[in-house]
Amino acid sequence: MKRITYLILVALLSLLSAPIWAQMPHDAIYMPRKTVCIAGMYGQSTWTEYWEGTLKRENLNIGRHTTRTAAIMPAIGVSNRVNLILNLPYIWTSTSAGNLMGQKGFQDLSAWLKIKAVEYKGLSVNPIIGGSIPVGNYVPDFLPMSIGMQARSVTGRLLLNYTHPHTGLYVTTHGSYIWRGTIRIDRDAYQADNRVYNTDEVSVPNAYDAAVRLGVVRRAWQTEVFAERFACVNGDNIRRNDMPFPTNKMQMTQVGWYGKIQPRNIGVNARVAYVTDGLNAGQSTSYMLGLLFQLNGK
């Protein structure tokens, strides 16, 4: 019994003294081989005004729109230069006014493979491949209450990072292209692009995103500010006084802050962001809080 207790204590001490890492699909931080970091996250996004095409407006039949998200995101160190990141969010929506019923459920299962292809004197080049498939049987054409688009996607991303070896000061930038598939809706026809389509199949526009981040990362903490841009490459606008639809050309630019404290194998992270400009999207304020737990293999 004493020997078992001793072994448990040794294992816990080895966890507490191990180097700590935590990473996302948009950074250049890698989990070491046979190491797993599990992040449990809760987030909330709210808006009262949105862009109907280029027209910024409010809708008293919606009031304040709120989207809440709870997710589990494990990051797995396949090797010191290759990481696998998984994510499965549970999402629910609501409004403060009107009669629109909120939706809730599991959205899409996503996976990201991040590869450190080149590393030289603090500079790294990181190609990232991602994809997602719908998991829940949610309704995609009930925006803004829908929890997702119900479309399969494939993402190609190139991420460049420079981290100063002594201070931990870093700058990161990335660009991505997102291919999205067609979906089927529960109707025989729909209107888009100023015409009527007599089919239940809808093409969701492809999209791109880009970001720049400036921050400091140390052994036990990280802080950064960022600017992000997301835009569909084609699509139409929300018709006047109508509901959004999956064919809409959604665009948004947001700025924010991210921070993390993880002195040992348990840590916390947080993120806040604000949409400064958009098209067919809500001007949202969002935040995220997470709990991190690292498991170190032998």
Side-chain angles (χ1 to χ4, degrees):
M1 187 66 183
K2 290 182 178 180
R3 179 175 176 80
I4 293 175
T5 303
Y6 172 77
L7 291 174
I8 293 174
L9 287 173
V10 169
L12 288 174
L13 287 172
S14 66
L15 280 174
L16 296 177
S17 61
I20 298 302
W21 310 86
Q23 48 114 4
M24 299 288 181
H26 53 246
D27 62 32
I29 300 174
Y30 282 76
M31 304 295 298
R33 182 174 178 266
K34 294 186 178 181
T35 302
V36 178
C37 182
I38 301 174
M41 297 175 292
Y42 171 81
Q44 181 171 298
S45 173
T46 60
W47 53 263
T48 56
E49 294 182 311
Y50 65 99
W51 286 275
E52 189 178 71
T54 57
L55 174 65
K56 188 178 179 182
R57 59 165 296 181
E58 63 178 355
N59 189 332
L60 298 181
N61 291 319
I62 293 176
R64 180 177 296 275
H65 182 279
T66 302
T67 301
R68 297 178 175 88
T69 303
I72 297 294
M73 177 184 284
I76 305 164
V78 179
S79 73
N80 292 340
R81 301 173 70 97
V82 178
N83 278 191
L84 175 65
I85 307 169
L86 305 174
N87 187 31
L88 179 60
Y90 185 92
I91 300 176
W92 59 107
T93 59
S94 63
T95 59
S96 62
N99 299 315
L100 291 178
M101 298 293 292
Q103 288 194 335
K104 61 182 179 179
F106 287 104
Q107 190 207 47
D108 303 338
L109 174 64
S110 61
W112 299 82
L113 192 65
K114 183 163 66 172
I115 303 168
K116 184 178 293 186
V118 177
E119 185 177 25
Y120 179 74
K121 293 185 177 180
L123 177 67
S124 66
V125 180
N126 308 266
I128 303 169
I129 301 173
S132 68
I133 56 173
V135 174
N137 188 27
Y138 57 85
V139 179
D141 61 329
F142 189 44
L143 296 167
M145 309 310 293
S146 300
I147 64 173
M149 291 293 189
Q150 204 55 262
R152 299 184 178 218
S153 71
V154 175
T155 300
R157 173 174 295 170
L158 182 63
L159 184 146
L160 305 177
N161 170 266
Y162 174 76
T163 302
H164 190 268
H166 303 297
T167 64
L169 181 68
Y170 67 86
V171 58
T172 301
T173 183
H174 81 251
S176 314
Y177 192 88
I178 307 162
W179 293 267
R180 299 195 286 189
T182 59
I183 63 174
R184 293 193 178 275
I185 59 176
D186 191 20
R187 62 177 88 175
D188 297 327
Y190 63 91
Q191 185 175 347
D193 301 315
N194 296 317
R195 58 169 290 190
V196 174
Y197 293 84
N198 293 305
T199 177
D200 64 348
E201 189 173 78
V202 178
S203 295
V204 180
N206 294 338
Y208 69 88
D209 67 45
V212 60
R213 306 174 191 278
L214 178 64
V216 179
V217 60
R218 306 292 288 178
R219 182 185 182 278
W221 57 272
Q222 178 186 1
T223 183
E224 72 174 27
V225 292
F226 61 83
E228 297 176 337
R229 175 71 173 171
F230 171 87
C232 295
V233 297
N234 52 31
D236 56 1
N237 290 327
I238 302 173
R239 294 186 297 274
R240 185 73 172 126
N241 295 320
D242 202 354
M243 297 178 69
F245 194 70
T247 59
N248 291 156
K249 188 175 184 178
M250 299 180 184
Q251 299 181 355
M252 67 183 70
T253 301
Q254 64 179 352
V255 296
W257 168 86
Y258 171 80
K260 177 192 68 179
I261 300 175
Q262 194 174 6
R264 298 184 184 275
N265 66 315
I266 297 177
V268 294
N269 62 352
R271 183 183 191 270
V272 293
Y274 175 69
V275 173
T276 60
D277 183 62
L279 183 74
N280 302 304
Q283 187 168 31
S284 63
T285 301
S286 60
Y287 72 86
M288 180 276 295
L289 297 173
L291 178 64
L292 308 171
F293 183 73
Q294 181 172 314
L295 301 172
N296 301 294
K298 294 182 179 180

